[in-house]
Amino acid sequence: MLGDFMYSNPTRLYFGEHAMDNLKTELANYGPKVQLVYGGGSIKKNGIYDQVTKILQECGKTVFEDGGVMPNPTTEKLYEGCKIAKDNGVDLILAVGGGSVCDYSKAVSISAYCEEDPWDKYYLRMEDVDNKIIPVGCVLTMVGTGSEMNGGSVITNHEQKLKIGHVFGDNVFPKFSILNPVFTYTLPKYQMTSGCYDIMSHILEQYFSGTDDNTSDYIMEGLLKSLIHSWEIAMQDPENYEARSNIMWTATWALNTLIAMGKSTDWMVHMLGQAVGAYTDATHGMTLSAVSMAYYRHILPYGLEKFKRYAIHVWDVNPAGKSDMAIAEEGLQAMEAYMKRMGLVMNLRALGVTEDMLEGIAKATFVMDGGYKVLEKEEIMQILQESM
Amino acid sequence: MLGDFMYSNPTRLYFGEHAMDNLKTELANYGPKVQLVYGGGSIKKNGIYDQVTKILQECGKTVFEDGGVMPNPTTEKLYEGCKIAKDNGVDLILAVGGGSVCDYSKAVSISAYCEEDPWDKYYLRMEDVDNKIIPVGCVLTMVGTGSEMNGGSVITNHEQKLKIGHVFGDNVFPKFSILNPVFTYTLPKYQMTSGCYDIMSHILEQYFSGTDDNTSDYIMEGLLKSLIHSWEIAMQDPENYEARSNIMWTATWALNTLIAMGKSTDWMVHMLGQAVGAYTDATHGMTLSAVSMAYYRHILPYGLEKFKRYAIHVWDVNPAGKSDMAIAEEGLQAMEAYMKRMGLVMNLRALGVTEDMLEGIAKATFVMDGGYKVLEKEEIMQILQESM
């Protein structure tokens, strides 16, 4: 646990099949005007919209609808949401959906009363919030992003061709989140396995950083083993409550700051994946899986000790009589085989990337310095080529 | 993650060598009157008292001293503390010490404005708090109890020969806690290893419950491995910052409710140990270590699957060609050997327990029902006899 840090996470989580029963109690803590945020309308098909609006009605709330949040919420949508929030003086923003809906709700919560362009102030310049913040509550219907218990909010500005994520402080975290694993049963397999790899990547990108002996690494190994175990079960049996609930809980703790404590953290796979995402319409988790193996094989020599530990602790590689390098490589092979078995996309070509895009993707890749190797531009090109 | 649950932990933790630098910022959130709670005075010898009072002075606080908190805080002391708090209308209770000092501070915080006897209402009858709560902040000087980030508070009533711990809700959790691993360097080895076993027992008593596949179990295995690793280092090298910091962080997460999520939890070792504590003046952690092996060997047949998993995941037992029972027993043997190496007390006789006390200890042992076997009175006697 080297380095000084602060840990604070005030979000109240209600977890389980009956988690929604707690919405009424939480709603009582806020005034009558609720901005109801959701995405493309799947919640209207699966009944969650009806459940939530019935409870809002029973609590005597006035509802201001704010649907149609897109997978990558835009500045245009943000400005619209701010207008709804400010014009009506809403008391609570209730996000019903996955990571995008939660991210967008947090953006509205800090932007509605911002006196200048919130994109400039809170995303481009990444300033701390100094205006009124509207409280946010979440009803989670998809897993992966951890947005239900953190300060992260990613917004895309199409005009400027920029997608920026700001990780805000604990004053921006959702006040409460409702997590019912059953809500995730109906997610298509492609989306589900993509979300699971997003979770795995969140953990790995914090794990593969630092050379110290850190309790956070041990917690991460536990989370990884639980995820690997439950993901495989959920792929075979999508309505296995136990597996779904373990995945949902792991997703939350993979990105709610706990496991980052004392770690420098890397995030290069996300940087590469996001640049790929800007050039294709590929699903986020698949942009990560497509570049991961080439990236990890590239940095392995710089973080050999950790890759060896990963092989033994997470993939149960037997180290007897093998060189460190052989152990580490066997770990990555086990990971790769598992990823293929889970149906992940393992190369960029399958996501629609063509050779002529690579230069642009490399240029759009933001270079982080918390991992085992600060990448040069040629190394990024090499990783992208190896991922084709 | 079977079952429904709520997770909420609003305590802000400042961790590291410079954690105290944040005390000033936190103090600014409260009024001028601070009740300064501490124990027997070791903080006056090691300079922590001077550090804290200097900061309080710089912040213009009026300090009301409340020292002399004993290892097992009593109702008499509680009534005195309540008088200080209420007569002076203190705005904040600042606990500087270990678990007892934190526990006591929480007791004063809920009891000062209680209109009846707080012992009756909050400990005997375990009611929820419905009166004004004075906020508590902690500067931690010892590790083990997790009291810095939970709602636990143990108070002893000598007249009634009762020691009762009430785990309060998140409105009673400390508002902030300051954790500097360096403060733990000077703790005598006996106290330190006893505290480490308390941490280990907290984890194990949550781990050895439930038969489901639960992410919490994986997190616990990570915490156990980190603790086992760092404890051994700290025993050899008490000023190893990395080891001390890992132990301190593990202690917090071992008992701040996270790993209990979805678990029934057992706590029989604590029940046995506390009954031994009532008959001797033995150090808490040692009362746990003295009864642990007999207890775990007794319940092993009822939780064989989990003991097997424990052996493989935590103690790296190679399962090849062995029966489940042999694997599980090998795990407990590895644990026992480790405990002996760490200098823990492994039998009750060494703590001053005599044969004629056993009947009384067995009677004083509260029986819990969350583990693998609800113990009959004869079984408790048998475990105590085997622990002699």
Side-chain angles (χ1 to χ4, degrees):
Chain A
M1 306 302 306
L2 293 182
D4 284 41
F5 58 82
M6 195 271 272
Y7 176 86
S8 170
N9 199 323
T11 304
R12 295 161 72 89
L13 292 181
Y14 297 94
F15 193 97
E17 286 185 83
H18 309 286
M20 192 78 97
D21 295 352
N22 301 287
L23 180 56
K24 219 174 248 188
T25 321
E26 282 295 333
L27 288 174
N29 298 325
Y30 305 93
K33 298 179 200 168
V34 177
Q35 184 162 348
L36 181 62
V37 177
Y38 55 95
S42 64
I43 60 162
K44 291 198 176 169
K45 286 176 213 145
N46 59 25
I48 298 173
Y49 177 86
D50 289 339
Q51 272 186 59
V52 170
T53 48
K54 184 163 174 280
I55 294 168
L56 286 165
Q57 206 171 27
E58 285 168 5
C59 295
K61 302 291 183 183
T62 308
V63 174
F64 300 91
E65 293 254 342
D66 185 6
V69 177
M70 54 291 284
N72 292 306
T74 62
T75 41
E76 287 80 14
K77 178 71 189 163
L78 173 60
Y79 301 141
E80 277 175 38
C82 288
K83 195 166 153 43
I84 297 174
K86 200 176 175 188
D87 286 358
N88 300 291
V90 304
D91 302 300
L92 174 74
I93 299 170
L94 186 62
V96 184
S100 303
V101 169
C102 296
D103 276 25
Y104 165 81
S105 296
K106 282 182 256 179
V108 173
S109 85
I110 55 155
S111 300
Y113 293 95
C114 179
E115 288 184 359
E116 53 175 314
D117 185 338
W119 168 257
D120 290 346
K121 183 179 170 95
Y122 292 133
Y123 294 86
L124 274 184
R125 298 202 310 271
M126 298 236 180
E127 289 183 22
D128 287 341
V129 185
D130 57 3
N131 49 252
K132 178 180 165 178
I133 299 170
I134 306 169
V136 171
C138 301
V139 175
L140 202 68
T141 61
M142 276 203 290
V143 299
T145 71
S147 191
E148 66 277 12
M149 202 191 192
N150 66 32
S153 171
V154 183
I155 295 295
T156 298
N157 185 318
H158 280 304
E159 208 181 302
Q160 297 176 17
K161 292 200 196 314
L162 283 172
K163 180 175 168 179
I164 297 177
H166 187 168
V167 180
F168 294 95
D170 60 0
N171 51 345
V172 182
F173 286 32
K175 299 298 173 202
F176 65 88
S177 286
I178 289 170
L179 282 69
N180 180 349
V182 175
F183 291 170
T184 68
Y185 285 178
T186 52
L187 206 62
K189 244 176 198 180
Y190 187 86
Q191 304 298 328
M192 181 240 157
T193 202
S194 169
C196 283
Y197 191 71
D198 192 25
I199 303 167
M200 188 160 173
S201 197
H202 289 156
I203 305 172
L204 291 177
E205 295 187 61
Q206 298 173 82
Y207 184 74
F208 287 120
S209 74
T211 51
D212 49 315
D213 169 39
N214 191 312
T215 299
S216 293
D217 288 314
Y218 291 89
I219 297 173
M220 284 190 259
E221 287 162 354
L223 291 175
L224 284 167
K225 289 183 89 156
S226 181
L227 175 65
I228 290 164
H229 179 71
S230 288
W231 181 357
E232 188 139 34
I233 295 171
M235 284 297 281
Q236 302 301 324
D237 177 11
E239 302 203 359
N240 184 305
Y241 180 81
E242 203 166 43
R244 289 290 194 169
S245 65
N246 286 334
I247 294 170
M248 196 171 216
W249 193 237
T250 301
T252 299
W253 289 89
L255 202 62
N256 70 357
T257 81
L258 172 67
I259 60 174
M261 295 298 115
K263 301 289 302 179
S264 58
T265 74
D266 180 359
W267 299 118
M268 266 320 295
V269 172
H270 262 70
M271 294 305 111
L272 287 160
Q274 278 172 208
V276 171
Y279 275 74
T280 60
D281 252 345
T283 308
H284 174 64
M286 297 305 188
T287 66
L288 307 176
S289 63
V291 299
S292 281
M293 294 319 302
Y295 175 68
Y296 288 128
R297 291 205 163 102
H298 186 85
I299 64 162
L300 187 150
Y302 307 95
L304 182 56
E305 266 303 307
K306 193 57 164 288
F307 279 94
K308 178 188 166 192
R309 173 177 166 159
Y310 174 61
I312 299 168
H313 286 202
V314 178
W315 296 102
D316 296 324
V317 170
N318 181 354
K322 295 170 196 157
S323 70
D324 287 358
M325 187 57 90
I327 297 164
E329 278 176 352
E330 201 177 320
L332 288 185
Q333 279 157 21
M335 176 186 175
E336 190 172 26
Y338 178 85
M339 288 169 74
K340 287 180 180 167
R341 210 159 66 242
M342 293 306 105
L344 292 167
V345 174
M346 301 303 286
N347 65 75
L348 289 173
R349 222 176 286 277
L351 296 175
V353 175
T354 50
E355 292 287 347
D356 57 305
M357 291 179 189
L358 295 185
E359 193 68 42
I361 293 171
K363 268 198 189 123
T365 301
F366 193 79
V367 178
M368 308 293 277
D369 63 358
Y372 293 129
K373 173 75 176 75
V374 181
L375 297 185
E376 306 292 334
K377 278 285 170 213
E378 318 74 272
E379 292 177 284
I380 293 177
M381 268 307 281
Q382 192 192 329
I383 291 164
L384 291 172
Q385 272 154 354
E386 286 168 9
S387 302
M388 284 298 280
Chain B
M1 306 302 306
L2 293 182
D4 284 41
F5 59 82
M6 195 271 273
Y7 176 85
S8 170
N9 199 323
T11 305
R12 295 162 72 88
L13 292 181
Y14 297 94
F15 193 96
E17 285 186 82
H18 309 285
M20 192 78 99
D21 295 352
N22 301 287
L23 181 56
K24 218 174 251 187
T25 320
E26 283 294 333
L27 287 175
N29 297 326
Y30 305 93
K33 299 180 199 169
V34 176
Q35 183 161 347
L36 181 62
V37 177
Y38 54 96
S42 63
I43 60 162
K44 292 198 176 171
K45 285 176 214 147
N46 59 25
I48 298 174
Y49 177 86
D50 289 339
Q51 273 185 58
V52 170
T53 48
K54 185 163 173 280
I55 293 168
L56 286 165
Q57 208 171 23
E58 286 168 5
C59 295
K61 303 290 184 183
T62 308
V63 174
F64 301 91
E65 294 254 340
D66 185 8
V69 177
M70 53 293 282
N72 292 306
T74 62
T75 41
E76 288 79 14
K77 178 69 189 163
L78 172 61
Y79 301 141
E80 277 175 38
C82 289
K83 196 168 152 41
I84 297 173
K86 200 175 176 188
D87 285 358
N88 300 291
V90 304
D91 302 300
L92 175 74
I93 299 170
L94 186 62
V96 184
S100 303
V101 170
C102 295
D103 276 25
Y104 166 81
S105 296
K106 282 182 256 180
V108 173
S109 84
I110 55 155
S111 300
Y113 293 96
C114 178
E115 288 185 359
E116 53 175 313
D117 185 338
W119 168 257
D120 290 347
K121 183 179 171 95
Y122 292 133
Y123 293 85
L124 274 184
R125 298 202 310 270
M126 298 234 180
E127 289 183 20
D128 287 341
V129 184
D130 57 3
N131 49 252
K132 178 181 164 179
I133 299 170
I134 306 168
V136 171
C138 300
V139 175
L140 202 67
T141 61
M142 277 204 289
V143 299
T145 70
S147 191
E148 66 276 13
M149 203 190 191
N150 66 32
S153 172
V154 183
I155 295 295
T156 299
N157 185 318
H158 280 304
E159 208 181 301
Q160 298 176 16
K161 291 200 197 314
L162 283 172
K163 180 175 168 179
I164 297 178
H166 186 169
V167 180
F168 294 96
D170 60 0
N171 52 344
V172 181
F173 285 32
K175 299 297 174 201
F176 65 89
S177 285
I178 289 170
L179 281 69
N180 181 348
V182 176
F183 290 170
T184 68
Y185 285 178
T186 51
L187 206 64
K189 242 173 200 185
Y190 186 86
Q191 304 299 328
M192 181 240 157
T193 202
S194 169
C196 282
Y197 191 71
D198 192 24
I199 303 168
M200 188 160 173
S201 197
H202 289 156
I203 305 172
L204 291 177
E205 295 187 59
Q206 297 173 83
Y207 184 74
F208 287 120
S209 73
T211 51
D212 49 314
D213 169 39
N214 191 311
T215 299
S216 293
D217 288 314
Y218 291 89
I219 297 174
M220 284 190 259
E221 286 162 354
L223 290 175
L224 284 167
K225 289 184 88 156
S226 181
L227 175 65
I228 290 164
H229 180 71
S230 288
W231 180 358
E232 188 139 34
I233 295 171
M235 284 298 280
Q236 303 299 324
D237 177 11
E239 302 203 358
N240 184 304
Y241 179 81
E242 203 166 42
R244 288 290 194 170
S245 65
N246 285 335
I247 294 169
M248 196 171 215
W249 193 238
T250 301
T252 299
W253 289 89
L255 202 61
N256 71 357
T257 80
L258 172 66
I259 60 174
M261 294 299 115
K263 301 288 303 179
S264 58
T265 75
D266 179 0
W267 299 117
M268 266 321 294
V269 172
H270 262 72
M271 294 305 111
L272 287 160
Q274 278 171 208
V276 170
Y279 275 74
T280 61
D281 253 344
T283 309
H284 174 64
M286 297 305 188
T287 65
L288 307 176
S289 62
V291 299
S292 282
M293 294 318 303
Y295 175 68
Y296 288 128
R297 292 206 161 101
H298 186 85
I299 64 163
L300 187 150
Y302 306 96
L304 182 57
E305 266 304 308
K306 193 57 163 289
F307 279 94
K308 178 188 166 192
R309 173 177 167 159
Y310 175 61
I312 299 169
H313 287 204
V314 177
W315 296 102
D316 296 324
V317 170
N318 181 353
K322 294 169 195 159
S323 72
D324 287 358
M325 187 57 92
I327 297 165
E329 278 176 354
E330 201 177 320
L332 289 184
Q333 279 157 19
M335 175 186 175
E336 190 172 26
Y338 178 86
M339 289 169 74
K340 287 180 180 166
R341 210 158 67 240
M342 294 304 107
L344 291 167
V345 174
M346 300 302 287
N347 65 75
L348 289 172
R349 224 177 285 278
L351 297 176
V353 175
T354 50
E355 293 287 348
D356 58 304
M357 290 180 189
L358 295 185
E359 192 68 44
I361 293 172
K363 267 200 189 121
T365 300
F366 192 80
V367 177
M368 309 292 278
D369 62 0
Y372 294 127
K373 173 75 177 76
V374 180
L375 297 183
E376 306 291 334
K377 278 285 168 216
E378 318 74 271
E379 293 178 286
I380 294 177
M381 268 306 280
Q382 191 192 329
I383 290 164
L384 291 173
Q385 272 155 353
E386 286 168 9
S387 302
M388 285 297 280

